[in-house]
Amino acid sequence: DITLRSLKAAARSNVEGHGQGHGGHMVCVATCCHHRCDIHSYVNRPFLERLGLCNSAEDFAQFVSTAGWAVGGFHRSDRKLDLEKRKVGMMAKRILDLGRVAWLRQELQLPDATL
Protein backbone atom coordinates (compact mmCIF):
# COMPACT_ATOMS: atom_id res chain seq x y z
CA ASP A 1 0.00 0.00 0.00
CA ILE A 2 2.95 2.29 0.58
CA THR A 3 4.05 1.50 -2.98
CA LEU A 4 0.63 2.41 -4.35
CA ARG A 5 0.54 5.70 -2.46
CA SER A 6 4.05 6.45 -3.75
CA LEU A 7 2.87 5.81 -7.31
CA LYS A 8 0.05 8.27 -6.80
CA ALA A 9 2.45 10.90 -5.48
CA ALA A 10 4.86 10.29 -8.37
CA ALA A 11 2.06 10.52 -10.93
CA ARG A 12 0.83 13.78 -9.39
CA SER A 13 4.39 15.15 -9.38
CA ASN A 14 4.83 14.14 -13.02
CA VAL A 15 1.64 15.91 -14.06
CA GLU A 16 2.41 19.05 -12.03
CA GLY A 17 6.06 19.22 -13.05
CA HIS A 18 5.93 18.27 -16.70
CA GLY A 19 2.35 18.67 -17.82
CA GLN A 20 2.25 15.03 -18.92
CA GLY A 21 0.02 12.17 -17.89
CA HIS A 22 0.91 8.56 -17.35
CA GLY A 23 2.51 8.12 -20.78
CA GLY A 24 3.55 4.57 -21.45
CA HIS A 25 4.70 3.69 -17.97
CA MET A 26 4.09 0.22 -16.61
CA VAL A 27 4.39 -1.02 -13.08
CA CYS A 28 4.40 -4.49 -11.58
CA VAL A 29 3.87 -4.82 -7.84
CA ALA A 30 4.21 -8.09 -5.98
CA THR A 31 2.05 -7.84 -2.90
CA CYS A 32 2.99 -9.80 0.16
CA CYS A 33 2.38 -9.97 3.88
CA HIS A 34 -1.35 -9.35 3.45
CA HIS A 35 -1.88 -10.32 7.08
CA ARG A 36 0.31 -7.36 8.11
CA CYS A 37 -1.97 -4.72 6.58
CA ASP A 38 -3.49 -2.25 8.96
CA ILE A 39 -6.59 -0.14 8.66
CA HIS A 40 -4.58 3.09 8.39
CA SER A 41 -2.36 2.04 5.51
CA TYR A 42 -4.65 -0.07 3.32
CA VAL A 43 -5.62 2.04 0.29
CA ASN A 44 -9.23 0.98 -0.26
CA ARG A 45 -11.17 0.48 2.94
CA PRO A 46 -14.40 1.69 1.27
CA PHE A 47 -14.14 -1.29 -1.10
CA LEU A 48 -14.14 -3.70 1.85
CA GLU A 49 -16.94 -1.78 3.54
CA ARG A 50 -19.11 -2.02 0.41
CA LEU A 51 -18.58 -5.77 0.45
CA GLY A 52 -19.74 -5.83 4.06
CA LEU A 53 -16.43 -7.25 5.27
CA CYS A 54 -14.94 -4.50 7.38
CA ASN A 55 -16.88 -1.77 9.11
CA SER A 56 -14.47 -1.20 11.99
CA ALA A 57 -10.80 -1.47 12.86
CA GLU A 58 -11.54 -4.73 14.68
CA ASP A 59 -13.33 -6.16 11.62
CA PHE A 60 -10.39 -5.18 9.46
CA ALA A 61 -7.84 -6.77 11.79
CA GLN A 62 -9.83 -10.00 11.90
CA PHE A 63 -10.24 -10.05 8.12
CA VAL A 64 -6.57 -9.51 7.30
CA SER A 65 -5.52 -12.08 9.87
CA THR A 66 -7.32 -14.71 7.79
CA ALA A 67 -5.00 -13.91 4.87
CA GLY A 68 -2.20 -15.56 6.82
CA TRP A 69 -4.09 -18.82 6.64
CA ALA A 70 -3.14 -19.07 2.96
CA VAL A 71 0.44 -19.81 3.87
CA GLY A 72 0.14 -20.88 7.50
CA GLY A 73 1.57 -24.16 8.59
CA PHE A 74 -1.45 -25.98 9.95
CA HIS A 75 -0.48 -29.54 10.69
CA ARG A 76 -3.49 -30.82 12.47
CA SER A 77 -4.96 -34.23 12.11
CA ASP A 78 -7.89 -32.71 10.17
CA ARG A 79 -6.40 -32.06 6.72
CA LYS A 80 -9.82 -31.10 5.35
CA LEU A 81 -10.04 -28.24 7.85
CA ASP A 82 -6.50 -27.17 6.90
CA LEU A 83 -7.46 -27.06 3.24
CA GLU A 84 -10.60 -25.04 3.97
CA LYS A 85 -8.62 -22.52 6.03
CA ARG A 86 -6.07 -22.18 3.24
CA LYS A 87 -8.88 -21.50 0.76
CA VAL A 88 -10.30 -18.79 3.03
CA GLY A 89 -6.83 -17.28 3.35
CA MET A 90 -6.34 -17.22 -0.41
CA MET A 91 -9.75 -15.58 -0.85
CA ALA A 92 -8.88 -12.92 1.73
CA LYS A 93 -5.61 -12.15 -0.07
CA ARG A 94 -7.43 -11.94 -3.40
CA ILE A 95 -10.07 -9.57 -2.01
CA LEU A 96 -7.40 -7.27 -0.57
CA ASP A 97 -5.62 -7.21 -3.92
CA LEU A 98 -8.87 -6.61 -5.83
CA GLY A 99 -9.41 -3.58 -3.60
CA ARG A 100 -5.97 -2.35 -4.58
CA VAL A 101 -6.73 -2.82 -8.28
CA ALA A 102 -10.00 -0.92 -7.88
CA TRP A 103 -8.09 1.87 -6.15
CA LEU A 104 -5.55 2.06 -8.99
CA ARG A 105 -8.35 2.27 -11.54
CA GLN A 106 -10.12 5.02 -9.63
CA GLU A 107 -7.35 7.09 -8.07
CA LEU A 108 -4.74 6.83 -10.82
CA GLN A 109 -7.15 6.43 -13.72
CA LEU A 110 -5.52 3.16 -14.74
CA PRO A 111 -8.40 1.26 -16.36
CA ASP A 112 -6.08 -1.56 -17.45
CA ALA A 113 -4.85 -2.32 -13.91
CA THR A 114 -5.24 -6.03 -13.24
CA LEU A 115 -4.08 -8.78 -10.94
Side-chain angles (χ1 to χ4, degrees), residues 46-83:
F47 175 81
L48 299 176
E49 290 169 3
R50 284 191 302 274
L51 293 176
L53 294 172
C54 303
N55 293 313
S56 69
E58 184 179 328
D59 289 346
F60 185 86
Q62 288 178 335
F63 178 71
V64 299
S65 72
T66 64
W69 296 351
V71 295
F74 308 109
H75 297 291
R76 297 188 194 116
S77 60
D78 189 348
R79 290 191 180 268
K80 185 174 181 175
L81 178 61
D82 285 353
L83 181 60

Side-chain angles (χ1 to χ4, degrees), residues 2-3 7 9 12 18 21 28-29 31 34 36-37 52 58 69 73 78-79 81 83 86 100 102:
I2 293 169
T3 300
L7 284 172
R12 187 175 344 147
H18 305 294
C28 178
V29 178
T31 58
H34 294 77
R36 301 291 296 186
C37 292
E58 184 179 328
W69 296 351
D78 189 348
R79 290 191 180 268
L81 178 61
L83 181 60
R86 286 186 193 275
R100 291 173 172 131

Side-chain angles (χ1 to χ4, degrees), residues 4-115:
L4 300 181
R5 291 184 196 282
S6 296
L7 284 172
K8 183 176 181 179
R12 187 175 344 147
S13 174
N14 186 32
V15 170
E16 291 171 358
H18 305 294
Q20 299 174 359
H22 301 295
H25 302 292
M26 298 177 105
V27 175
C28 178
V29 178
T31 58
C32 70
C33 306
H34 294 77
H35 63 287
R36 301 291 296 186
C37 292
D38 67 61
I39 196 164
H40 303 293
S41 64
Y42 183 69
V43 294
N44 205 349
R45 287 188 347 241
F47 175 81
L48 299 176
E49 290 169 3
R50 284 191 302 274
L51 293 176
L53 294 172
C54 303
N55 293 313
S56 69
E58 184 179 328
D59 289 346
F60 185 86
Q62 288 178 335
F63 178 71
V64 299
S65 72
T66 64
W69 296 351
V71 295
F74 308 109
H75 297 291
R76 297 188 194 116
S77 60
D78 189 348
R79 290 191 180 268
K80 185 174 181 175
L81 178 61
D82 285 353
L83 181 60
E84 291 302 313
K85 286 188 92 166
R86 286 186 193 275
K87 286 180 185 178
V88 169
M90 291 300 295
M91 286 188 276
K93 289 172 72 155
R94 178 59 71 133
I95 290 168
L96 289 166
D97 287 341
L98 286 170
R100 291 173 172 131
V101 168
W103 184 87
L104 286 167
R105 290 176 179 170
Q106 180 180 350
E107 293 295 316
L108 297 183
Q109 290 82 46
L110 296 174
D112 295 330
T114 62
L115 290 180

